[in-house]
Amino acid sequence: MADLSTTFAGIRSPNPFWLASAPPTDKEYNVNRAFEAGWGGVVWKTLGEAGPPIVNVNGPRYAALYSQDRRLIGFNNIELITDRPLETNLDEIARVKRNWPDRAVVVSIMVPCTEEAWKAILPGVEDTGCDGIELNFGCPHGMSERGMGSAVGQVPEYIEMVTRWCKQATRLPVIVKLTPNIADIKPPALAAQRGGADAVSLINTINSVMGVDLDALLIHPNTGGTGSHGGYCGPAVKPIAQAMVAEIARTPEMARLPISGIGGITNWRDAAEFIALGCGNVQVCTAVMTYGFRIVQDMCSGLADYMDRKGFHNIDAFRGRAVASIVNWNQLNLNHIEKARIDQDLCIQCGRCHVVCEDTSHQAITATKDGKRHFEVMDDECVGCNLCVSVCPVPECITMHALQPGQTDPRTGQWVSGEYANWTTHPNNPARVA
C-alpha cells in the first residue's frame, strides 16, 4: 500500500489529513476523538493573548447554503477565536501532544499587531511541546474589526513584519495562514516568505453575508434581530482555494515554499487535487462539521487506493504534477479543437443540452422528434465550449472529442495542426501581426 506519511515544514504526520483551526479543534476532547478516528494532525483553534476573555454570541453562529437535494455546499460562521482561557488551552495541548506523539499538533495564534504581544504568547505555546505554530492572518470577521486576522493578512508589509518577529522568538516551524479576501494572493505569500515563514496555509474563509430571511426581513443568521458578515467555507469555495494555491505553486520565486491546502476538501479526490497542485498536506473543517471525524478513514483508504493504481509510492511522487498544466490565458493552445458527442444509448431525451445551447450558446444541437426526442450535435456550429456536458444530468452521456492534426474544423474549414503551440506564436495574434 502507498505510504501516506508526510513531513510538512519539518513536521511529521502519519497521513496528510489535518483538521483546520476551527470549532472541531477547540478542546482536548474533540482532538482526542479526531486522533482516535485517524486524523494525521490538527491545527488547534486560534489562541489569543491572556486577559479579558473572548465573548462569542449565545445564538446562531452558523448558516448553510444547500443544493436542491439539501446537500451542504457552503457554510458561513460568525464565531470568533477560542473563548476558553489561554492557560486551559495550553494545558490541554500539552496533554494531547504527550498522548499522541506521532500526530502533528500545530497551534494557531492571533494577537494584536505589536511585537510585544506576539513574542509574549510564543514561550507558553512552545512549552506545550507542540510541533509548530500557524499565524492566523485570515479571519475576516470579528477579529478583523480589532485590527487582527485579515486586517493583517491584507497588508503584505504587516505579514512580513509579524512573521519575522515570530521567527526571531521561536524555534518552532512557522506556518502563515493567508486570507482569500484580497485581489492577488502572491504579494501576501511572498511577504510571508520574506519574513522567514516555513510554510503557508490557504485559504481562510471568504468574507460573506449568507442570506436574508424573507419573512422577517432579517439577515441570516441573526442574534436577537441583528447579524454580521462572516466567513464562508465548504465545497463551494474549493475552486477559489485551488486557484490561489496554484498561483503560489507556479510562481518561480515560491517554488520551494511548502503549501498546506484548505478550502472545500470533502473527500480523497479533493485532497489529491490539492496535492497535485503543489500542496504537501491538506486541512479540513466543514466536512467534519457535516459528517463527523470518521470520514478520514475513507479519505485515507481512497487516497491510498488511488496512489496504488497510479504507481505513486508516496505523496511527493505526485505533489505538484498538475502545476505545469496551468498557464496564462495568452499561452493557451488556440489551435486545439474539440467537439461534443452525444451517446444516444445513454441519452434520456431531457433536452437540457438543446435548450441551453439554443438559448445561451451557439445553436449547435438539433432537436427532432420521431416517436421520441432526438438530439444531435452539429459539428459546423459547435465551438467545443463544454456547456452541454456541464448541464447534462447523465454522466458520460455527452463527452468532448479532440480533432486530430490534419483534420478540418467543420465550423471554420481550417486545418488542425500542431504548428502553433500558443497564442504568442499564432498567426491571428494581433500583436504578432502588428
Side-chain angles (χ1 to χ4, degrees):
M1 180 174 285
D3 179 10
L4 296 185
S5 66
T6 62
T7 300
F8 179 80
I11 303 169
R12 290 189 56 80
S13 59
N15 62 63
F17 298 105
W18 292 10
L19 288 174
S21 171
T25 63
D26 190 32
K27 59 176 71 73
E28 181 179 11
Y29 177 83
N30 301 60
V31 174
N32 280 333
R33 285 179 60 84
F35 285 159
E36 288 165 0
W39 289 88
V42 301
V43 182
W44 204 275
K45 187 174 181 184
T46 306
L47 309 185
E49 61 183 345
I54 294 291
V55 179
N56 273 294
V57 296
N58 287 308
R61 302 178 186 181
Y62 310 125
L65 178 67
Y66 298 104
S67 65
Q68 290 183 340
D69 60 358
R70 202 170 164 79
R71 286 183 299 111
L72 189 146
I73 57 176
F75 206 52
N76 171 283
N77 88 90
I78 60 169
E79 186 166 303
L80 303 180
I81 64 175
T82 184
D83 53 11
R84 304 166 69 235
L86 177 60
E87 289 303 321
T88 300
N89 276 296
L90 294 177
D91 289 344
E92 292 185 5
I93 293 167
R95 281 198 299 272
V96 166
K97 186 57 192 176
R98 284 196 303 269
N99 293 334
W100 299 93
D102 66 324
R103 309 302 173 91
V105 178
V106 173
V107 178
S108 174
I109 54 178
M110 178 198 295
V111 295
C113 198
T114 67
E115 186 172 2
E116 294 75 19
W118 283 98
K119 290 186 175 180
I121 195 173
L122 289 172
V125 172
E126 193 168 308
D127 287 346
T128 65
C130 69
D131 300 294
I133 59 173
E134 184 179 78
L135 311 184
N136 185 342
F137 296 153
C139 186
H141 59 275
M143 307 309 294
S144 58
E145 288 91 330
R146 310 179 195 197
M148 294 180 272
S150 63
V152 176
Q154 291 167 339
V155 184
E157 294 79 7
Y158 290 174
I159 294 174
E160 181 178 352
M161 176 178 67
V162 176
T163 304
R164 184 170 287 113
W165 290 342
C166 294
K167 283 297 294 181
Q168 292 170 352
T170 183
R171 59 176 176 77
L172 294 172
V174 174
I175 304 168
V176 172
K177 190 171 188 178
L178 300 175
T179 178
N181 301 296
I182 196 162
D184 185 352
I185 198 65
K186 294 190 294 296
L190 285 165
Q193 182 172 257
R194 288 194 302 270
D198 298 283
V200 292
S201 59
L202 68 157
I203 59 174
N204 208 311
T205 53
I206 300 169
N207 195 30
S208 62
V209 169
M210 204 59 177
V212 172
D213 181 333
L214 290 178
D215 291 323
L217 294 177
L218 297 174
I219 189 176
H220 179 67
N222 69 82
T223 300
T226 58
S228 179
H229 64 102
Y232 188 59
C233 56
V237 312
K238 189 181 84 167
I240 299 168
Q242 291 192 340
M244 293 188 172
V245 163
E247 279 302 292
I248 295 173
R250 75 188 190 97
T251 300
E253 300 93 318
M254 294 182 282
R256 297 183 180 278
L257 183 63
I259 305 170
S260 182
I262 313 169
I265 297 164
T266 304
N267 54 49
W268 73 264
R269 289 180 176 274
D270 299 329
E273 289 178 18
F274 273 87
I275 294 168
L277 288 172
C279 293
N281 69 6
V282 295
Q283 297 183 35
V284 179
C285 172
T286 305
V288 299
M289 295 183 72
T290 307
Y291 304 110
F293 288 141
R294 292 176 67 87
I295 63 169
V296 72
Q297 295 164 15
D298 287 338
M299 288 178 164
C300 286
S301 62
L303 182 60
D305 288 346
Y306 164 77
M307 291 169 63
D308 286 341
R309 291 197 308 272
K310 300 292 287 186
F312 299 138
H313 299 299
N314 54 42
I315 297 296
D316 284 340
F318 74 103
R319 180 171 57 85
R321 290 278 287 270
V323 174
S325 68
I326 304 169
V327 298
N328 294 335
W329 198 97
N330 63 1
Q331 295 174 299
L332 295 175
N333 180 6
L334 299 187
N335 201 50
H336 179 81
I337 297 172
E338 295 189 20
K339 303 293 180 181
R341 295 285 182 270
I342 301 174
D343 186 329
Q344 299 301 332
D345 292 332
L346 294 177
C347 181
I348 60 173
Q349 296 89 47
C350 68
R352 288 181 65 184
C353 61
H354 167 70
V355 169
V356 297
C357 188
E358 192 73 15
D359 287 354
T360 70
S361 194
H362 293 85
Q363 297 77 52
I365 299 179
T366 62
T368 58
K369 188 172 183 179
D370 184 13
K372 67 176 183 178
R373 297 199 295 178
H374 183 83
F375 304 95
E376 288 283 356
V377 176
M378 296 183 290
D379 279 355
D380 55 344
E381 297 297 334
C382 178
V383 301
C385 71
N386 203 49
L387 177 62
C388 55
V389 177
S390 302
V391 303
C392 179
V394 181
E396 303 299 320
C397 177
I398 308 178
T399 52
M400 303 302 299
H401 296 265
L403 271 64
Q404 298 302 311
Q407 287 183 275
T408 301
D409 178 359
R411 184 170 177 271
T412 64
Q414 294 179 340
W415 289 93
V416 179
S417 75
E419 181 179 355
Y420 305 111
N422 58 52
W423 184 236
T424 59
T425 60
H426 198 284
N428 292 338
N429 183 352
R432 186 176 184 276
V433 172

